[in-house]
Amino acid sequence: MTAASPPPSPWQASVLTLFPEMFPGPLGQSLAGRALREGRWGLDAIDIRGFATDRHRSVDDTPCGGGAGMVLRPDVVDAACAAALAAGPDRPLVVLTPRGVPLDQRMVRGFAEGPGVVLLCGRFEGIDQRVIEARGMLEVSIGDYVLSGGEPAALVLLDACVRLLPGVMGAAASGEEESFSAGLLEYPHYTRPTQWNGLAVPPVLLSGNHAEVARWRREQAEMLTRTRRPDLWARHGSATPHALDGQVNAA
Ligand code: ADE
């Protein structure tokens, strides 16, 4: 008789935060929530304050060199990181900060394919740079705007990862993901009724001609990407003039 091999440990997220009650938050709902309850991924929210050592349980101090706000202490953050990594040492340590490298689908895919992530949520003015460097943390931003803390950014990152895990969303997610990975924004969608408030569904979508439908969707995706996201369009590598040039935003 051969011993059954143990089930693979699920993708594990640890979140270091001063507000652990913010988790799982929206990730406890819908498909991510169901997958969490089914054990397809795991989440532990770790209270950074639990690693304070003084009698005031202080986690921050004034910035060296002066200035507004408070900075998270390196010793406290380091102890919290050590505790999180003990439960899964091979996971990348990511700090959410507006000055990080921008999160994109490629990075998300990399995280989703690994054993999980440890996310550190900043608050106040920031986190002592020494612990960021000593722990080799990856600084990641979810966009060019400033949130009041890293927690909503951590939720965004986790949502993007969890939907890619096996058995969480199924074929729909991979299809969407592929279209985004191809470097284009998604084409618009329509459903019944085919006439609504005097507005018709584009006739090609009702034609039954699959090749024409695919061509129309491709053109729409290209047009949207070109007008809304010239940065993505440039990376997409198509510098050649397009049949739809000049027709976009003509109104
Ligand atoms: N914390 C505050 N703003 C943020 C942002 N834009 N991305 C990630 N973390 C943040």
Side-chain angles (χ1 to χ4, degrees):
M1 201 175 76
T2 54
S5 52
S9 39
W11 195 84
Q12 183 67 28
S14 300
V15 183
L16 305 172
T17 170
L18 290 166
F19 299 95
E21 59 285 357
M22 285 194 190
F23 296 86
L27 298 177
Q29 305 292 316
S30 189
L31 296 175
R34 191 176 69 189
L36 186 60
R37 287 187 292 279
E38 287 172 354
R40 295 184 194 275
W41 67 292
L43 174 67
D44 54 320
I46 299 171
D47 189 353
I48 295 172
R49 202 169 291 281
F51 299 87
T53 50
D54 64 353
R55 64 192 175 88
H56 301 294
R57 300 185 76 214
S58 46
V59 293
D60 57 344
D61 210 330
T62 53
C64 295
M70 300 290 273
V71 178
L72 283 177
R73 292 168 51 138
D75 51 345
V76 176
V77 169
D78 188 59
C81 290
L85 288 168
D90 297 330
R91 296 171 296 163
L93 192 41
V94 175
V95 54
L96 284 315
T97 163
R99 56 165 231 214
V101 295
L103 182 70
D104 64 12
Q105 191 66 22
R106 197 163 67 131
M107 203 188 294
V108 166
R109 214 178 307 120
F111 291 145
E113 284 168 1
V117 285
V118 178
L119 304 180
L120 171 60
C121 302
R123 283 262 153 188
F124 317 114
E125 281 309 293
I127 299 164
D128 188 299
Q129 190 64 23
R130 291 169 296 176
V131 68
I132 293 177
E133 288 170 16
R135 285 272 176 197
M137 294 184 202
L138 178 60
E139 296 181 74
V140 171
S141 164
I142 63 159
D144 292 340
Y145 39 80
V146 181
L147 306 167
S148 53
E151 286 80 5
L155 290 168
V156 166
L157 187 154
L158 290 176
D159 182 284
C161 291
V162 165
R163 65 189 288 283
L164 299 183
L165 299 177
V168 174
M169 279 199 75
S174 50
E176 265 173 48
E177 216 259 320
E178 260 166 39
S179 95
F180 200 87
S181 308
L184 294 175
L185 302 183
E186 219 193 358
Y187 55 81
H189 300 278
Y190 298 87
T191 186
R192 279 163 287 282
T194 55
Q195 289 284 341
W196 172 75
N197 278 1
L199 301 170
V201 167
V204 62
L205 300 181
L206 308 172
S207 69
N209 184 331
H210 298 306
E212 280 299 307
V213 169
R215 201 169 88 91
W216 181 88
R217 286 178 168 167
R218 177 82 194 180
E219 283 172 359
Q220 291 289 317
E222 290 181 356
M223 183 172 69
L224 284 173
T225 310
R226 208 153 39 79
T227 53
R228 293 184 180 173
R229 293 292 305 276
D231 57 324
L232 277 187
W233 182 247
R235 261 184 284 155
H236 186 63
S238 176
T240 50
H242 190 279
L244 296 172
D245 271 342
Q247 292 178 35
V248 179
N249 289 349

